[in-house]
């Protein structure tokens, strides 16, 4: 019986080692469990209100205050073109010159003709004086005196005609030099040096003034009449209840404000609209005539509205929405109604309250219901980008405090 007991003890030994190994492995696995990931970091803004007025947008077109077609007033060959096409020229600057030689010759002939006429007049005046003396003494008949008086009158008329010819010759000579009547941008030259031009030719070039610039637009008759009823002095008063700004074709906002300039005195019967005009400064020449722009007319009486950057706005089948971080640092989806756009910012008509936290950076990392670690930043209203962030030590301290709070919770 003793040998049998000894073999049973030997058979239990491997089983004990197996159990010990399993327990050891389970202890190692327990120590190597993965740590819980921290909440994703996002940047948020605190919603604030900004003063926003009632506004209306109009499709408008720009127009030069002064436009002139430069034409040749005398005939001749072009001998000079003293400007660069498309550039700004100054008032009085020489632009074109027509060959002046024929007109210089005409001027000299006119000067000679005038001198000859003046000499003839002087002789006639002396003859008339002698004739009057002879007539007084009875040595000259009335008929001869009348003849001499007529010659003196003709000589005086000849002087006046010669003087007119001289003035015309001077004027024609001045027309050979074509100068800019005002400062502006000159377009393409339609003729090259050596071309024969004259009064019947096409315009040599077109010159447009650039500063200021007109902006023409139309409003329907209902709006126009309502405005006149509410503001009866708006046609003449300099203190108007609205201000004007422009949005350029590339979507950027023009950095100068405009003033109301003109309202037509009649309604267009075919369209039911009235033509209006605004005037904008254009010192850099950014706005050129014929440009389609968006004219924004905003009332000077403003009310407070929340504003958020466009980067925070998303859209789905239900409309536009933003992601809001609540008091528990959890993400919520919030549907919003948006109003006008001011540069990169949207005006929020409904859906947000002052002080709520809206995610502006890290949107792709989160979804509704997820807990996040928010950092409050400020937005530059001119660009829509992040203007400033908290200092690293403040940020880390806030994150550490949040993590400790979460750990205690």
């Amino acid at each position: 019986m003793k040998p049998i007991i000894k073999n049973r003890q030997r058979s239990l030994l491997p089983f004990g080692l197996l159990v010990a190994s399993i327990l050891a492995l389970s202890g190692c696995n327990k120590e190597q469990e993965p740590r819980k990931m921290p909440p994703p970091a996002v940047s948020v803004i605190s919603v604030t209100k900004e003063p926003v007025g009632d506004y209306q947008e109009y499709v408008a077109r720009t127009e030069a205050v002064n436009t002139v077609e430069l034409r040749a007033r005398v005939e001749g060959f072009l001998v000079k073109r003293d400007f660069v096409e498309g550039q700004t020229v100054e008032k009085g600057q020489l632009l074109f010159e027509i060959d002046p030689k024929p007109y210089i010759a005409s001027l000299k002939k006119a000067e000679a003709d005038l001198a000859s006429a003046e000499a003839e007049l002087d002789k006639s005046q002396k003859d008339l004086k002698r004739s009057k003396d002879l007539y007084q003494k009875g040595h000259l008949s009335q008929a001869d005196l009348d003849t001499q008086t007529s010659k003196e009158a003709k000589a005086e008329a000849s002087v006046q005609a010669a003087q007119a010819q001289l003035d015309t010759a001077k004027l024609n000579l001045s027309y050979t030099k074509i100068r800019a009547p005002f400062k502006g941008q000159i377009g393409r030259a339609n003729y090259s040096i050596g071309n024969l031009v004259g009064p019947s030719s096409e315009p040599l070039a077109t010159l447009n003034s650039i500063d200021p610039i007109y902006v023409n637009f139309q409003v329907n008759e209902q709006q126009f009449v309502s405005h006149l009823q509410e503001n009866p002095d708006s046609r003449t008063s300099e203190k108007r209840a609205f201000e004007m700004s422009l949005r350029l074709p590339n979507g950027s906002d023009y950095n100068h404000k405009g003033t109301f300039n003109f309202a037509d005195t009649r309604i267009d019967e075919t369209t039911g609209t009235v033509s209006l005009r605004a005037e904008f400064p254009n010192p850099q020449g950014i706005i050129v005539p014929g440009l389609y722009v968006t004219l924004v007319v905003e009332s000077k009486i403003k009310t407070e509205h929340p504003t958020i950057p466009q980067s925070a706005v998303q859209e789905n089948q239900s409309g536009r929405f933003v992601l809001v971080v609540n008091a528990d640092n959890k993400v919520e989806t919030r549907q919003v109604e948006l109003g006008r756009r001011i540069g990169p910012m949207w005006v929020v008509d409904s859906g947000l309250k002052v002080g709520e936290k809206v995610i502006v950076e890290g949107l792709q990392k989160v979804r509704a219901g997820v807990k996040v670690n928010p950092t409050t930043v400020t937005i530059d209203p001119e660009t829509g980008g992040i203007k400033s962030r908290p200092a690293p030590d403040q940020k880390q301290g806030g994150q550490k405090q949040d993590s400790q709070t979460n750990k205690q919770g």
Side-chain angles (χ1 to χ4, degrees), residues 77-96:
F77 292 97
L78 283 178
V79 294
K80 183 181 289 186
R81 193 191 77 189
D82 197 13
F83 66 90
V84 178
E85 296 172 306
Q87 297 298 311
T88 300
V89 297
E90 299 296 328
K91 181 179 180 180
Q93 178 178 331
L94 179 64
L95 304 177
F96 294 96

Side-chain angles (χ1 to χ4, degrees), residues 382-403:
E382 298 296 328
T383 63
I386 294 177
K387 183 178 182 180
S388 63
R389 302 175 184 270
D393 54 345
Q394 295 177 351
K395 182 177 179 181
Q396 292 173 2
Q399 292 178 348
K400 186 180 295 184
Q401 184 177 0
D402 291 341
S403 62

Side-chain angles (χ1 to χ4, degrees), residues 72 74-78 98 191-198 201-202 204:
V74 293
E75 188 174 72
F77 292 97
L78 283 178
I98 296 172
Y191 294 91
S192 301
I193 294 174
N195 287 145
L196 179 65
V197 296
S201 302
E202 294 296 320
L204 305 180

Side-chain angles (χ1 to χ4, degrees), residues 1-64:
M1 294 298 293
K2 289 182 179 179
I4 295 174
I5 293 173
K6 185 176 181 180
N7 291 336
R8 186 176 297 175
Q9 291 176 344
R10 288 180 179 176
S11 62
L12 291 174
L13 182 59
F15 178 76
L17 292 174
L18 178 62
V19 172
S21 299
I22 292 173
L23 291 175
L25 289 174
S26 63
C28 293
N29 291 337
K30 185 175 182 180
E31 291 179 358
Q32 296 177 358
E33 285 184 359
R35 298 178 62 184
K36 188 176 181 180
M37 295 297 293
V42 294
S43 298
V44 300
I45 61 166
S46 181
V47 178
T48 58
K49 284 188 175 182
E50 300 293 337
V52 179
D54 294 333
Y55 85 108
Q56 185 70 40
E57 293 186 357
Y58 300 95
V59 176
R61 193 162 190 172
T62 59
E63 176 190 9

Side-chain angles (χ1 to χ4, degrees), residues 162-217:
Q163 182 64 54
Q165 290 295 327
L166 177 62
D167 293 341
T168 300
K170 289 180 178 178
L171 195 60
N172 288 338
L173 180 60
S174 69
Y175 287 157
T176 61
K177 295 182 184 297
I178 302 171
R179 301 181 181 276
F182 50 81
K183 179 180 179 180
Q185 286 182 336
I186 191 165
R188 183 182 62 184
N190 296 322
Y191 294 91
S192 301
I193 294 174
N195 287 145
L196 179 65
V197 296
S200 61
S201 302
E202 294 296 320
L204 305 180
T206 300
L207 178 66
N208 294 310
S209 62
I210 55 174
D211 185 25
I213 196 86
Y214 284 154
V215 177
N216 297 312
F217 63 107

